[in-house]
């Protein structure tokens, strides 16, 4: 397999997994909103802006995973495939971080 084919396979891997990544973070964030009483007290516009900024930032960082994978193929040759372990470690970290941020923002600053 030539380098262009390797790049294509790696990018397809990462872009297919992006849907699961976004869905996981969305479910964690929505569950925190729905199970929190503070959703009825917090102003909605800053909340929506914060969610959008967080989602964009998470996707920018997600893109760094595919970039690191492509750099490895360029540096170490064609034997390097898609790094699924990097994806799952990043997904786990992002899920925990999202849950932590949701807890801090919705419970710690709640007037209840």
């Amino acid at each position: 397999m030539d380098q262009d084919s390797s790049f294509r396979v790696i990018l397809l891997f990462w872009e297919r997994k992006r849907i699961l990544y976004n869905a996981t973070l969305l479910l964690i964030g929505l569950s925190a909103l729905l199970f929190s009483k503070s959703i009825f007290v917090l102003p909605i516009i800053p909340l929506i802006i914060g969610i959008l900024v967080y989602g964009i930032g998470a996707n920018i960082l997600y893109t760094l995973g595919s970039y690191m994978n492509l750099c490895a193929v360029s540096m170490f040759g064609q034997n390097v495939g898609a790094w699924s372990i990097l994806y799952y470690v990043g997904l786990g970290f992002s899920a925990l971080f999202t849950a932590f941020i949701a807890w801090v923002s919705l419970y710690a600053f709640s007037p209840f």
Side-chain angles (χ1 to χ4, degrees):
M1 186 167 24
D2 64 346
Q3 196 169 23
D4 288 338
S5 296
S6 296
F7 283 3
R8 192 170 298 114
V9 167
I10 290 168
L11 287 175
L12 281 174
F13 168 83
W14 283 93
E15 289 308 313
R16 287 181 183 143
K17 296 289 187 177
R18 187 183 295 267
I19 296 167
L20 177 62
Y21 176 82
N22 284 320
T24 303
L25 297 187
L26 179 67
L27 285 174
I28 292 169
L30 284 179
S31 64
L33 285 174
L34 294 175
F35 294 116
S36 170
K37 294 178 183 176
S38 61
I39 184 67
F40 302 110
V41 179
L42 296 174
I44 194 73
I45 299 299
L47 187 64
I48 291 172
I49 291 171
I51 290 169
L52 289 174
V53 167
Y54 185 80
I56 291 168
N59 275 281
I60 289 171
L61 292 175
Y62 179 87
T63 303
L64 291 177
S66 61
Y67 178 72
M68 287 174 46
N69 201 170
L70 292 173
C71 286
V73 169
S74 295
M75 292 170 53
F76 301 119
Q78 300 171 359
N79 294 333
V80 179
W83 288 354
S84 59
I85 189 70
L86 180 64
Y87 168 77
Y88 290 110
V89 169
L91 177 64
F93 176 79
S94 297
L96 289 173
F97 186 72
T98 302
F100 175 74
I101 293 296
W103 179 80
V104 167
S105 63
L106 294 177
Y107 293 103
F109 299 117
S110 174
F112 298 110

